Structure formats: C-alpha cells, structure tokens
C-alpha cells in the first residue's frame, strides 16, 4: 500500500469516527489505525472541529503526541504480546526515539493513556503485582481478567485447575476468564502439556530475567 493510499484510508476512517458518536467505536478504530489520531491533530486548526482533540482529552500537544506514540507502539507489538505491554518497556522504547533533553516519564505515559479513555474502553493502565502494564484491546477488562494477569506475572503460565485452586474459584469461572484472554490474544495455549497450560507473552521478559 502506498503512503498516499494509507493516508487516504486513515482520512476516511477519521471522517467515519466523526459521524459515529460512539466512544467504543472510536477506540476500536484508533487501535486498528493509530493514524486516525494524527488526523484529529492535523485537522484541529483547519476544520470546524477546531480544538476537538485537546478539548476532549483536556491536554495540550505534548500529551497528545505521547498518546499517539503509545497507541502506535501497542498496535505494532500486539502480534507478539496480545496487546499487553509493560509500562517500563513503553517508556524505554518511546525515549529511544526522543532527544536526551526531551525524555518522558512513566507518569507522562500514564496520564496520556488515561486521557485516551474518553475515546472509549480499549486502552488502560493496569497494575499486576509490582509492575504496571498497558492493556490495549477493545472492550472492558474485568476484575477476573486483571486477577489472572496478576497471577500470570508471578507464575509465568497457568492451568485451569491450578488457577481455580489457587484463587478459590470454580473451574468454570476460571476457564471462562482464561478463554476470553485466549480469544483476544493475551495468552497462548500449550496443548503439549497435560493439562493444557496458558502462557502470557507479555511476561516472558520478566520470567527470563527472574531465572
């Protein structure tokens, strides 16, 4: 796809977002095509929607820029981590692109992500034990899902029976929560083990460094 075609496609999606006033729809489109945010930015001073983005998010161009970069990074890495990325990794990657006198803090990233919540569910900062992660998948993250992520961070992989025993849940409840995370790509199922185990690629780095 040429750059002209890609830009034109983003413009069409951007205009579609403006005509469908649905926060959940907006966030789904943004996660599919991050440059839609850039269209908001580029047209902010040119169209009747002047100031739309900053007014909606309640921030200036700095957090605007950070928000775009976070979305782009999450989308670019979702194929390997299922849309769960550590806050430390996000900060490290974004600062690698910036000048030494223009580095961002983890607080900057958290604030930018929280402001994106006005576009709908699909991106939020979650705490798992001692770490913080950015979850970037359309849809709400329930407390059961968060609990599984917290447990997975410490154990590396989970089984339905083991998790149910550990948390005091029924196996039906445990399996339902795990299957949701499997469906959206946050966890991978390993059928070579018995019983099947579920691995969380977002925590591979932590598990490797802990050994």
């Amino acid at each position: 796809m040429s750059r002209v075609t890609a830009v034109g496609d983003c413009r069409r999606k951007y205009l579609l977002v403006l005509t469908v006033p649905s926060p959940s729809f907006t966030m789904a489109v943004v996660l599919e095509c991050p440059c839609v945010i850039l269209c908001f930015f580029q047209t902010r001073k040119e169209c009747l929607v002047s100031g739309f983005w900053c007014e909606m998010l309640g921030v200036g161009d700095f957090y605007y820029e950070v928000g775009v970069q976070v979305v782009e990074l999450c989308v670019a890495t979702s194929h390997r981590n299922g849309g769960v990325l550590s806050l430390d990794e996000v900060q490290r990657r974004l600062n690698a692109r910036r000048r030494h006198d223009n580095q961002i803090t983890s607080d900057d990233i958290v604030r930018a992500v929280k402001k994106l919540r006005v576009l709908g569910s699909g991106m939020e900062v979650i705490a798992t034990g001692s770490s913080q992660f950015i979850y970037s998948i359309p849809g709400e993250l329930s407390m059961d899902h968060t609990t599984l992520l917290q447990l997975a961070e410490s154990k590396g992989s989970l089984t339905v029976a083991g998790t149910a025993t550990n948390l005091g849940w029924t196996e039906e409840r445990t399996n339902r929560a795990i299957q949701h995370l499997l469906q959206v790509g946050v966890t991978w199922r390993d059928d070579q083990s018995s019983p099947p185990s579920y691995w969380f690629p977002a925590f591979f780095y932590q598990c490797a460094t802990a050994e």
Side-chain angles (χ1 to χ4, degrees):
M1 179 183 295
S2 68
R3 179 176 177 80
V4 173
T5 302
V7 171
D9 186 52
C10 284
R11 286 282 182 175
R12 285 191 294 273
K13 291 179 179 178
Y14 161 67
L15 293 174
L16 183 60
V17 165
L18 291 182
T19 59
V20 182
S22 167
S24 59
F25 174 77
T26 299
M27 180 55 79
V29 173
V30 166
L31 288 176
E32 177 187 347
C33 184
C35 60
V36 167
I37 299 180
L38 294 175
C39 290
F40 277 116
F41 181 77
Q42 292 165 353
T43 60
R44 183 164 57 95
K45 297 178 181 179
E46 302 169 5
C47 302
L48 294 177
V49 293
S50 176
F52 171 83
W53 184 256
C54 286
E55 180 180 350
M56 174 178 268
L57 299 186
V59 294
D61 290 352
F62 173 72
Y63 288 104
Y64 207 27
E65 173 194 358
V66 174
V68 171
Q69 293 176 347
V70 170
V71 172
E72 288 180 331
L73 179 59
C74 288
V75 171
T77 59
S78 63
H79 68 283
R80 67 173 180 80
N81 57 38
V84 180
L85 199 59
S86 74
L87 184 60
D88 288 341
E89 183 175 355
V90 172
Q91 183 182 3
R92 183 171 63 253
R93 286 182 175 232
L94 295 189
N95 277 334
R97 308 176 186 175
R98 308 175 73 90
R99 301 191 314 270
H100 291 299
D101 60 349
N102 191 31
Q103 300 286 284
I104 58 176
T105 66
S106 58
D107 287 340
D108 292 332
I109 297 171
V110 170
R111 183 176 181 186
V113 170
K114 287 183 176 180
K115 292 298 182 179
L116 290 175
R117 289 282 294 170
V118 301
L119 296 178
S121 61
M123 178 165 287
E124 58 185 297
V125 178
I126 57 175
T128 59
S130 59
S131 305
Q132 287 183 294
F133 286 78
I134 295 177
Y135 181 89
S136 57
I137 299 173
E140 294 289 345
L141 187 67
S142 72
M143 286 301 300
D144 282 3
H145 303 145
T146 301
T147 300
L148 289 181
L149 290 173
Q150 292 172 339
L151 187 61
E153 184 190 13
S154 62
K155 291 185 172 297
S157 66
L158 305 175
T159 63
V160 172
T163 301
T165 300
N166 193 300
L167 297 176
W169 294 358
T170 65
E171 289 195 12
E172 179 184 4
R173 175 183 179 183
T174 304
N175 186 60
R176 184 170 58 249
I178 288 179
Q179 289 305 311
H180 172 77
L181 296 179
L182 179 66
Q183 183 179 11
V184 298
V186 172
T187 184
W188 297 346
R189 177 179 169 129
D190 179 9
D191 288 321
Q192 295 184 1
S193 62
S194 182
S197 56
Y198 297 86
W199 293 85
F200 293 73
F203 303 131
F204 284 171
Y205 177 76
Q206 284 89 329
C207 294
T209 55
E211 295 179 349

